[in-house]
Amino acid sequence: MSATPIMPATPIYRRALSPNELSYFLPSRAYGLNDTCNRIIFHAPPSLVSPLRVGIAWAIMRLRHSLLACRIEMSPGKYDEVQFVLRLPSSPSNAVAQAGSSIRFFNDVSGTKLFSDALSGQRVLSSERLSGIDIALHGEISAGIHEFHFVYMLHHMINDSLAMHRAQDHMCELLGGSEIPGGPPRTDLELGKILEREWTQRCSAQRIPHHAIIPSAEDRIQGRSQSKFRDAAWMVDHENIQKRFIGGHVVPRLKRTNTIVQLRWLKARFDVAQTNAIMAQCKAKRVTIANAMFAVINFAWIRLCASRPDLTERTDLPMLMYTAINLQRYLQPSSPLDSYISLALEYHNVVLPAFIPRDIDPVRIFWARGREAQRQMFRHAHSPLVLNRAVVSGKRRGQRAKAYARLDDEADGTLPPTRRNNTIPVSPPPKLDVAAPALALVGLSNVGDPYATVFRPHLYPSIAVQDTGGMGRGGPGGMIFQTLTFKGRFSINCVYDEPAFVPGLVEEFYRYVVDGVHECVIGDRSLVGTAEVIDYLNSKDVRLEGREGARL
């Protein structure tokens, strides 16, 4: 890199966390809950993935996406004063030095182990480090081509799965892209010039201060309520929506004596022909695979309960699943220096019956439930009120997070115990109606097809992306399903805290989910059991065995 003037003083910028960002940060302090990890595997010439090139590329990304370079400041108990803090680098070389502190190269550790350690091992991220990359170098797989495993670690309060995939594509483009269409990959010098331009544009003395840290999604939402009356009206709207979310089905958890999380990741992958059949059937039935997966899990749970009659006592209640809605497409750019690395999520529930009528074709019921899930999601996601509702739900999440954080801080001695009024009331409190339960069975995250919609392999032909997959560090007793299509293959992931469940229970549930795709979506029971299933963190094949549940 050529010589570049150094700023006379290194400015520091601050921004308060929004309630939704706070709801992800506060629970993470103990063992890293909400740290998201994603591994991408690609093949490339080793000259494109040298420590210097990766350091420059990561420095460019940290300049373009300032939350990657921020840290968090919080005084004990000051939950309303938590702030992102950004110190701009004083020069391009200083930007590389700062970026290098969050990159680790490993020659003697497999990418699978790095990924497993990131999800279940000692925490790497912290309040001082909101992002990082671990890189496993594998040997030569063909003449002049090596395999690389990049494990991206970003705190969930600054990103979502779409942002993670965009960051992976961005890194590939910087490492393997060309200055001119069809030309050779950039040299180290050309990559360094990009860094210098970014530093000059974003860190020079003419820098506009309020552009330093991207505003929160809540601040970017236009027409947000500004008065107490409107806030109260939106809160009533929120409560009315919550009353519709009735559910009484959960997978029972075992009692445990510690909070050590041991994640297990089951991943079923369908071949290209089966994936094409899945997509064709969903299109013919006027639903997406994301809609159909709610029905798949619904039917799988019903079968599990038929196989294990003692599993649930509330057969009269419907089944509830939760999911997230990405709001980035609704938001206007906050500045010419906008960033896609930020949290912009709304949350919604899908409620489906927990039984299958005996006098109606089960396949017909299945597709009807897929369309019902579609109706519920479409109604919420496409409502003109969705952005204001996201602000309200974020406030509620933030309030809950602060309440639980205070309990945790009092329990570990960080804060003194709160004095509570123990006075016995003179008259008994009035009787209140008991609200219907709203227990969610599982969370379902539908990532879509990032290779087709996010990745731009034509911009970096020297880098061949092979696979990607990721999840967040879960808490004790956690379980979540995720679907992903990548390079023409559909997959269903189930990540759960293994010690929290009866041995074999989640595997059986998962088997019904995988079998349900063959039987209900593709419509060919002869394919049951043919999906490739691996224990993703251990790269071992898994045979899903379980008792036969009620057939369709």
Side-chain angles (χ1 to χ4, degrees):
M1 291 180 290
S2 60
T4 304
I6 297 177
M7 292 195 314
T10 305
I12 297 177
Y13 297 99
R14 301 173 185 272
R15 171 172 78 74
L17 271 67
S18 72
N20 201 26
E21 292 167 337
L22 194 66
S23 73
Y24 281 101
F25 167 70
L26 290 177
S28 73
R29 298 172 299 161
Y31 44 82
L33 178 65
N34 298 323
D35 291 357
T36 59
C37 310
N38 197 298
R39 176 177 63 166
I40 183 172
I41 305 171
F42 62 79
H43 298 163
S47 59
L48 299 184
V49 196
S50 67
L52 173 61
R53 287 181 68 85
V54 174
I56 296 174
W58 189 232
I60 293 170
M61 293 185 64
R62 284 164 56 97
L63 287 173
R64 290 176 175 173
H65 310 288
S66 55
L67 289 179
L68 295 175
C70 285
R71 59 185 176 86
I72 297 289
E73 280 189 1
M74 188 190 85
S75 301
K78 303 294 185 180
Y79 308 119
D80 292 320
E81 301 174 11
V82 186
Q83 292 183 320
F84 288 115
V85 180
L86 174 66
R87 181 186 293 274
L88 295 180
S90 58
S91 66
S93 59
N94 181 238
V96 174
Q98 290 182 9
S101 66
S102 59
I103 303 172
R104 301 189 301 180
F105 280 84
F106 297 85
N107 291 300
D108 55 350
V109 180
S110 70
T112 298
K113 187 177 188 309
L114 280 187
F115 191 28
S116 177
D117 288 347
L119 282 171
S120 300
Q122 184 176 358
R123 190 186 184 199
V124 175
L125 302 182
S126 67
S127 297
E128 298 295 318
R129 179 183 176 188
L130 304 186
S131 65
I133 309 176
D134 282 353
I135 302 170
L137 309 177
H138 287 223
E140 189 175 51
I141 60 170
S142 63
I145 301 298
H146 290 222
E147 182 172 288
F148 300 90
H149 293 229
F150 275 51
V151 179
Y152 289 78
M153 296 163 287
L154 279 67
H155 200 291
H156 204 340
M157 68 181 159
I158 67 170
N159 96 106
D160 51 50
S161 60
L162 176 60
M164 182 76 82
H165 290 306
R166 292 180 71 178
Q168 292 172 335
D169 173 72
H170 192 174
M171 176 65 81
C172 289
E173 193 275 328
L174 288 170
L175 296 177
S178 172
E179 284 294 292
I180 58 174
R186 297 182 184 92
T187 64
D188 293 354
L189 181 61
E190 290 172 331
L191 196 60
K193 288 182 178 179
I194 295 177
L195 174 62
E196 291 176 0
R197 290 196 298 268
E198 292 291 336
W199 182 87
T200 300
Q201 182 182 23
R202 298 168 186 275
C203 304
S204 64
Q206 291 76 30
R207 185 76 161 83
I208 302 175
H210 69 269
H211 287 163
I213 302 177
I214 184 173
S216 68
E218 290 93 323
D219 285 340
R220 295 168 65 189
I221 290 173
Q222 301 299 313
R224 195 167 49 131
S225 59
Q226 300 292 328
S227 68
K228 291 184 178 180
F229 176 79
R230 293 187 65 188
D231 284 343
W234 283 115
M235 194 60 68
V236 171
D237 174 76
H238 175 79
E239 294 300 328
N240 288 336
I241 292 175
Q242 300 307 306
K243 290 177 182 178
R244 298 200 297 262
F245 298 145
I246 301 173
H249 297 262
V250 295
V251 182
R253 270 69 169 175
L254 296 174
K255 293 182 179 180
R256 59 199 301 170
T257 58
N258 59 62
T259 58
I260 297 176
V261 178
Q262 298 177 18
L263 289 184
R264 189 180 184 194
W265 184 330
L266 298 178
K267 179 174 183 176
R269 292 194 296 187
F270 299 80
D271 62 32
V272 174
Q274 292 177 3
T275 298
N276 289 337
I278 290 168
M279 301 307 171
Q281 279 289 84
C282 289
K283 183 178 180 180
K285 300 298 183 180
R286 307 188 311 280
V287 298
T288 66
I289 183 58
N291 305 144
M293 281 306 302
F294 286 105
V296 168
I297 294 177
N298 176 243
F299 270 43
W301 174 255
I302 293 170
R303 284 180 159 179
L304 183 66
C305 291
S307 173
R308 299 172 180 254
D310 58 338
L311 195 60
T312 182
E313 298 178 357
R314 297 302 303 270
T315 59
D316 59 322
L317 291 171
M319 183 181 135
L320 186 87
M321 292 167 279
Y322 67 91
T323 190
I325 301 170
N326 198 300
L327 299 177
Q328 291 287 1
R329 58 178 174 168
Y330 299 106
L331 302 179
Q332 296 296 322
S334 59
S335 78
L337 307 179
D338 203 8
S339 166
Y340 57 76
I341 299 289
S342 64
L343 181 69
L345 294 177
E346 165 65 331
Y347 312 90
H348 194 55
N349 297 323
V350 168
V351 181
L352 296 174
F355 66 93
I356 301 175
R358 295 183 179 181
D359 56 344
I360 304 177
D361 180 6
V363 175
R364 180 181 172 188
I365 293 295
F366 172 83
W367 290 111
R369 290 189 181 170
R371 285 189 287 273
E372 172 59 20
Q374 180 187 58
R375 185 194 67 81
Q376 293 181 30
M377 291 299 300
F378 186 90
R379 178 182 179 184
H380 187 79
H382 290 81
S383 168
L385 308 179
V386 65
L387 293 180
N388 283 302
R389 286 171 172 168
V391 172
V392 176
S393 64
K395 286 182 179 179
R396 276 301 178 93
R397 289 169 59 85
Q399 290 169 355
R400 286 196 298 268
K402 288 186 286 187
Y404 283 117
R406 179 165 293 280
L407 292 176
D408 292 340
D409 289 343
E410 290 178 3
D412 65 17
T414 302
L415 296 177
T418 301
R419 289 187 178 183
R420 292 179 172 82
N421 188 359
N422 296 321
T423 304
I424 301 176
V426 176
S427 59
K431 293 183 179 180
L432 300 176
D433 293 334
V434 178
L439 303 175
L441 175 67
V442 294
L444 175 59
S445 173
N446 296 292
V447 178
D449 188 350
Y451 193 74
T453 60
V454 176
F455 285 82
R456 303 164 298 164
H458 63 283
L459 295 181
Y460 39 89
S462 298
I463 294 178
V465 177
Q466 302 298 310
D467 194 16
T468 185
M471 198 65 75
R473 287 173 66 105
M479 179 172 64
I480 190 168
F481 282 80
Q482 180 199 73
T483 66
L484 171 75
T485 303
F486 197 79
K487 301 189 79 169
R489 298 192 65 178
F490 177 67
S491 63
I492 304 173
N493 304 285
C494 176
V495 180
Y496 64 100
D497 179 23
E498 191 170 19
F501 301 92
V502 173
L505 179 62
V506 177
E507 291 94 323
E508 185 176 356
F509 183 23
Y510 184 63
R511 181 174 71 89
Y512 291 135
V513 171
V514 176
D515 290 350
V517 173
H518 284 126
E519 186 176 356
C520 301
V521 181
I522 299 178
D524 188 348
R525 188 170 176 80
S526 67
L527 294 175
V528 169
T530 62
E532 174 193 359
V533 181
I534 61 173
D535 189 335
Y536 199 57
L537 297 182
N538 297 309
S539 295
K540 296 179 180 178
D541 292 334
V542 177
R543 180 179 175 84
L544 292 176
E545 298 180 347
R547 295 172 288 183
E548 184 67 23
R551 291 197 176 191
L552 292 180

